[in-house]
């Protein structure tokens, strides 16, 4: 359509192997950030049961699986 979009590039690089994975996103929501990490770990061969856990503003723990087949 010719519309101009503001974009960001997400880059993850492994410390020791220096392997990298990058992707372009159009937002900076937490859900986008988590999805970028999940895609990066999939790119690297991932951890089969990876889960991201972080504290929300209300001090509850949230755990978000990388994919539908991740272990609990």
């Amino acid at each position: 359509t010719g519309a101009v979009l503001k974009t960001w590039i997400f880059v993850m690089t492994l410390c020791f192997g220096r392997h990298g994975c990058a992707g372009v996103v159009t937002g900076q929501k937490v859900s986008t950030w988590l999805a970028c990490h999940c895609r990066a770990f999939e790119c690297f061969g991932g951890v089969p049961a990876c889960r991201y856990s972080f504290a929300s503003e209300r001090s509850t723990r949230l755990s978000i699986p990388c994919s539908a087949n991740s272990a609990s």
Side-chain angles (χ1 to χ4, degrees):
T1 63
V4 177
L5 296 174
K6 186 172 187 175
T7 59
W8 293 267
I9 299 174
F10 174 87
V11 178
M12 179 185 276
T13 305
L14 297 178
C15 293
F16 296 105
R18 306 305 295 167
H19 295 281
C21 184
V24 177
V25 295
T26 58
Q28 294 185 355
K29 293 181 181 181
V30 171
S31 59
T32 303
W33 183 81
L34 290 172
C36 287
H37 278 80
C38 288
R39 283 192 295 272
F41 282 118
E42 288 172 1
C43 176
F44 298 137
V47 179
C50 70
R51 295 182 78 81
Y52 296 99
S53 182
F54 58 94
S56 72
E57 292 129 19
R58 295 188 177 137
S59 299
T60 57
R61 298 296 291 180
L62 301 175
S63 187
I64 299 166
C66 283
S67 63
N69 60 1
S70 292
S72 294

